[in-house]
């Protein structure tokens, strides 16, 4: 097994734990898929094109992505954070 194959189950479990209590149990696996795919895509893009995917751009994309998730608590907690608003 390579590094990435070993890492995948742990990453998916981390997202499951984080979603617990915020979304309906029936929605967890679909959201885990979406969050995992988004995360992998941003990481790969940043590695391939660091001059385009600056920290500022990654954080702006993360804020937009989080706003699109069906988790109202994210929007209210972001509004209180230094980056929120």
């Amino acid at each position: 097994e390579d590094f990435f194959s070993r890492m995948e189950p742990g990453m998916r479990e981390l997202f499951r734990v984080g979603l617990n209590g915020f979304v309906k149990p029936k929605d967890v696996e679909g959201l885990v898929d979406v969050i995992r795919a988004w995360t992998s895509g941003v990481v790969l893009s940043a590695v391939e094109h660091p001059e385009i995917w600056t920290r500022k751009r990654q954080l702006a994309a993360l804020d937009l992505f989080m706003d699109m998730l069906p988790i109202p608590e994210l929007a209210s907690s972001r509004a209180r954070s230094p980056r929120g608003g």
Side-chain angles (χ1 to χ4, degrees):
E1 257 189 299
D2 67 13
F3 171 77
F4 298 107
S5 296
R6 290 189 317 269
M7 192 169 130
E8 184 68 16
M11 291 300 298
R12 295 181 65 81
E13 183 61 20
L14 181 67
F15 294 138
R16 278 186 202 99
V17 169
L19 290 167
N20 186 35
F22 290 102
V23 298
K24 296 175 186 169
K26 70 178 185 67
D27 296 333
V28 169
E29 286 306 309
L31 283 169
V32 166
D33 289 342
V34 169
I35 294 168
R36 185 67 178 125
W38 187 89
T39 304
S40 296
V42 170
V43 169
L44 181 59
S45 294
V47 168
E48 292 175 335
H49 302 285
E51 73 285 358
I52 296 171
W53 284 95
T54 62
R55 180 179 189 277
K56 182 178 178 179
R57 187 172 189 174
Q58 291 176 52
L59 290 173
L62 176 61
D63 287 343
L64 181 59
F65 178 69
M66 289 174 55
D67 285 345
M68 291 189 285
L69 293 175
I71 305 172
E73 292 84 356
L74 284 178
S76 60
S77 70
R78 275 196 345 94
R80 292 188 304 269
S81 77
R83 281 191 0 244

